[in-house]
Amino acid sequence: MKNNIILIGFMGSGKTSVGIGLSYQLKRTMIDTDKWIEQKQKRTVSEIFAQSGEEAFRRMETDCLKELIRTADQQIISVGGGLPMKEENHALLKELGIVFYLSATPEALYKRLKSDTTRPLLQVENPEERIRTLLKQRAPVYEACADVVLDVSDRTFDEILEQIGKELEENEAFSD
Ligand code: S3P
């Protein structure tokens, strides 16, 4: 297993902002799988979904993980909300490092996502309903994939960082 910190969770659960915070705190660089794919493809996630379809995007996510296994160590890696849903990706995530699931209620997620236009899966008539349905399918998979589950709905940003810090201290492989 490599020494990366992986953040998984639903869209809007705060993976990117927590990742940036951790990256400052631990002085590790951060990689976001969506950004990685966008840079490689030279188009946005929305464009990839519209032009090539979701399946193609999902293949790009797996390719990204395989590449990160070859190249990333001591980094913070925030992954797209749908990435853990592919069975093949579970072993790859485990191989990459310690996996934190940022778990949030559908209400908290909807509050953060209601005006979002960048997530193709939520550009539907009733995004709140969509969030509930998707989260119901995904939450058990996120939990199965995670080494640590953190409930982030009622926690401040600083509390989340502190909690992750404690978990890392307890994990021998990550205390330097
Ligand atoms: C998706 C989540 C997005 C992005 C794409 C699909 C999903 O990433 O990968 O829009 O299926 O949940 P974030 O979780 O970073 O928003």
Side-chain angles (χ1 to χ4, degrees):
M1 174 174 133
K2 303 191 87 178
N3 208 342
N4 298 293
I5 295 166
I6 328 295
L7 302 173
I8 66 168
F10 203 82
M11 298 170 262
S13 58
K15 291 165 295 185
T16 304
S17 30
V18 168
I20 293 170
L22 278 177
S23 141
Y24 275 107
Q25 200 172 64
L26 303 173
K27 299 189 178 53
R28 292 183 179 208
T29 42
M30 170 172 164
I31 298 171
D32 178 300
T33 57
D34 288 338
K35 298 263 154 44
W36 191 96
I37 292 169
E38 286 182 338
Q39 271 167 14
K40 194 149 179 135
Q41 287 285 317
K42 299 192 174 58
R43 42 188 186 150
T44 64
V45 170
S46 297
E47 285 166 347
I48 299 169
F49 267 69
Q51 296 162 358
S52 311
E54 181 173 350
E55 261 313 298
F57 177 73
R58 299 302 174 196
R59 282 195 295 276
M60 292 170 196
E61 288 188 314
T62 300
D63 289 345
C64 172
L65 286 184
K66 288 182 178 164
E67 178 71 20
L68 292 180
I69 285 172
R70 292 201 307 108
T71 55
D73 202 21
Q74 304 273 350
Q75 308 212 332
I76 316 286
I77 302 172
S78 153
V79 315
L83 183 148
M85 298 310 290
K86 197 164 156 190
E87 177 101 41
E88 180 187 359
N89 294 343
H90 289 197
L92 300 174
L93 284 170
K94 291 272 179 222
E95 207 176 320
L96 261 182
I98 184 167
V99 180
F100 287 88
Y101 165 32
L102 306 189
S103 159
T105 61
E107 293 76 23
L109 294 169
Y110 179 63
K111 243 190 224 167
R112 294 188 198 167
L113 291 166
K114 62 181 174 207
S115 314
D116 180 82
T117 56
T118 64
R119 269 82 166 200
L121 293 180
L122 300 181
Q123 307 315 303
V124 293
E125 208 166 299
N126 190 341
E128 191 170 9
E129 188 56 39
R130 190 75 194 267
I131 290 171
R132 273 179 209 287
T133 312
L134 279 176
L135 190 62
K136 217 179 251 168
Q137 298 163 356
R138 290 178 172 191
V141 180
Y142 291 147
E143 277 166 29
C145 238
D147 295 300
V148 181
V149 179
L150 284 179
D151 192 343
V152 297
S153 301
D154 299 320
R155 284 200 167 117
T156 64
F157 181 70
D158 286 341
E159 285 167 348
I160 298 167
L161 289 187
E162 196 182 319
Q163 189 64 34
I164 295 179
K166 275 191 201 144
E167 296 286 349
L168 291 172
E169 264 172 38
E170 278 168 26
N171 188 309
E172 251 178 60
F174 282 84
S175 49
D176 353 71

